[in-house]
Amino acid sequence: MVNSVAPRVESLATSGIQSIPKEYVRTIEEQTSITNTFEEEKKEEGPQVPTIDLKEIDSEDIKVREKCREELKKAAMDWGVMHLVNHGISDELLERVKKAGEVFFQQPVEEKEKYANDQETGKISGYGSKLANNASGQLEWEDYFFHLVFPEEKRDMSIWPKTPSDYIEATSEYAKQLRTLLTKILSILSIGLGLEEGRLEQEVGGMEELLLQMKINYYPKCPQPELALGVEAHTDVSALTFILHNMVPGLQLFYQGKWVTAKCVPNSIIMHIGDTIEILSNGKYKSILHRGLVNKEKVRISWAVFCEPPKEKIILKPLPEVVSEEEPALFPPRTFAQHIQHKLFRKTQEEFKN
């Protein structure tokens, strides 16, 4: 079914419009902080998203290994987002994944529509654009492709792109390698909280239940980038999120009261701590507010993999080991589904207030 609610953003962007439809114009308050993404990325002063080198993560030398793990833990506690380098996934595979996604999006919109999702009926996998699900009816300047990539037995291969021919192989291999990296990161974060190394992995569903959902975000060129956002300010609900991009800046993090633009670090994977790990750690690891800017000159594409616990099977709440009289639980017990509903409810309330 073709989404008749709003045209694809790509169709709008290539139609020759000089000004964007009002649904895409952000509030005056938001506009005051929207800046030129290329100029922002060049800035050297002020805080910068940390880069964590994972090369020594399993070093034989205990001192070297501990230093590397400590840096990761510190970045997770201070920022909740980081550029991972020497992460063990080859540059060649990352390039294949990116090339496959780019080629899929280079097809005409009519071709991509064959994969259209239908959010009204709850079919969220496939090609889509955001529907106005908020009180203000605001839209974001992006189209996307969304599908589950791991565990393999839970995938629906019927909605995976057939073009290009390498899409399935490259994306599957990347998901498999990312799953291994995920276990490693979760074990370091567990140890960082004084827990057994397998604990966080177990708490978010383990090999069988933790879902890896890929969302390729396609941000077309925008004639009025100072008025729009590719994605509005939010925190991820996931346990962890891993992001690749096509080296066009746009990601901004809200750190110490200011929007900080992430630099484009070659061959890195950006990693976010999501709400799920923030809750389990009782706020020791941060799920940082972030958003995406757009620009006039270049299409931006990012590949986000959200690592999510099962919707109903697990109760998310601060682990007993990280709670004490001095540090009481900051979050009430909720299933993952309830957490998502709670966020939507809060957002709607805030929009009605405004």
Side-chain angles (χ1 to χ4, degrees):
M1 186 190 109
V2 175
N3 175 358
S4 56
V5 183
R8 299 300 178 200
V9 177
E10 181 186 356
S11 304
L12 273 177
T14 53
S15 68
I17 55 166
Q18 297 302 301
S19 59
I20 62 175
K22 66 179 188 320
E23 299 81 26
Y24 295 93
V25 176
R26 308 310 302 186
T27 62
I28 298 297
E29 186 192 6
E30 282 176 296
Q31 285 178 38
T32 57
S33 69
I34 296 175
T35 42
N36 181 303
T37 185
F38 297 109
E39 284 164 23
E40 286 294 327
E41 200 220 359
K42 289 192 190 98
K43 285 186 180 169
E44 292 301 334
E45 72 278 3
Q48 301 290 345
V49 175
T51 295
I52 303 298
D53 189 338
L54 297 182
K55 193 168 77 180
E56 306 295 355
I57 207 90
D58 294 318
S59 169
E60 297 289 304
D61 183 330
I62 189 158
K63 275 208 172 97
V64 173
R65 186 172 73 227
E66 287 311 311
K67 183 173 179 285
C68 177
R69 293 177 175 209
E70 195 54 40
E71 282 170 7
L72 189 144
K73 172 183 148 182
K74 188 170 167 293
M77 288 183 164
D78 182 21
W79 279 82
V81 65
M82 60 202 80
H83 301 281
L84 302 177
V85 295
N86 293 315
H87 39 67
I89 301 178
S90 74
D91 299 350
E92 185 225 357
L93 181 57
L94 298 187
E95 284 312 312
R96 279 175 62 201
V97 170
K98 294 200 269 190
K99 184 75 189 146
E102 281 170 1
V103 171
F104 173 77
F105 270 97
Q106 279 162 3
Q107 298 179 99
V109 169
E110 307 74 70
E111 273 305 306
K112 293 183 290 235
E113 287 294 358
K114 293 175 184 171
Y115 299 91
N117 64 12
D118 185 3
Q119 295 168 63
E120 301 292 350
T121 63
K123 179 184 174 286
I124 55 169
S125 295
Y127 174 61
S129 312
K130 183 177 173 179
L131 299 185
N133 66 350
N134 47 9
S136 52
Q138 270 197 320
L139 296 173
E140 296 164 321
W141 196 261
E142 71 151 343
D143 300 322
Y144 62 80
F145 191 89
F146 181 81
H147 59 129
L148 182 145
V149 293
F150 200 92
E152 293 184 350
E153 66 277 8
K154 291 194 164 89
R155 302 178 305 180
D156 173 3
M157 299 314 289
S158 70
I159 55 147
W160 283 50
K162 313 274 184 288
T163 305
S165 56
D166 192 40
Y167 185 96
I168 292 173
E169 197 183 318
T171 307
S172 301
E173 184 55 35
Y174 175 60
K176 215 156 66 184
Q177 294 194 24
L178 205 51
R179 189 63 189 80
T180 306
L181 178 62
L182 172 63
T183 294
K184 196 169 280 190
I185 302 279
L186 287 174
S187 73
I188 293 161
L189 294 176
S190 287
I191 293 164
L193 294 173
L195 305 166
E196 291 279 316
E197 67 173 326
R199 183 65 183 283
L200 284 176
E201 165 116 27
Q202 178 198 328
E203 294 287 344
V204 295
M207 254 329 177
E208 283 73 45
E209 299 290 346
L210 187 68
L211 305 177
L212 271 58
Q213 314 265 18
M214 180 182 270
K215 186 174 177 227
I216 307 176
N217 300 296
Y218 183 87
Y219 306 102
K221 296 176 197 175
C222 180
Q224 293 178 298
E226 68 287 352
L227 301 182
L229 285 173
V231 61
E232 62 192 17
H234 67 287
T235 61
D236 289 356
V237 293
S238 60
L240 298 173
T241 305
F242 295 93
I243 303 170
L244 304 176
H245 53 77
N246 66 338
M247 295 297 286
V248 176
L251 173 65
Q252 287 195 315
L253 301 307
F254 196 65
Y255 182 75
Q256 295 181 346
K258 290 195 177 68
W259 287 106
V260 176
T261 300
K263 299 261 189 279
C264 290
V265 177
N267 306 320
S268 66
I269 301 177
I270 295 170
M271 184 183 83
H272 283 276
I273 302 285
D275 298 347
T276 298
I277 294 290
E278 181 176 66
I279 292 165
L280 291 169
S281 71
N282 203 29
K284 289 182 172 60
Y285 296 133
K286 304 286 183 293
S287 180
I288 195 171
L289 195 67
H290 55 285
R291 68 181 187 183
L293 299 185
V294 289
N295 72 81
K296 266 185 186 165
E297 292 83 32
K298 292 179 176 176
V299 168
R300 179 166 180 263
I301 310 178
S302 68
W303 289 255
V305 174
F306 303 98
C307 308
E308 300 184 346
K311 286 229 164 29
E312 307 290 350
K313 280 189 182 173
I314 293 170
I315 303 291
L316 292 177
K317 63 178 199 294
L319 297 171
E321 294 90 338
V322 295
V323 175
S324 63
E325 269 182 46
E326 300 77 54
E327 296 184 1
L330 301 173
F331 308 92
R334 289 192 179 103
T335 63
F336 186 57
Q338 285 167 337
H339 174 67
I340 294 169
Q341 281 313 115
H342 171 71
K343 282 185 91 164
L344 278 174
F345 175 68
R346 261 199 348 225
K347 188 170 180 287
T348 309
Q349 277 186 316
E350 279 161 24
E351 278 159 3
F352 277 122
K353 273 186 218 150
N354 297 336

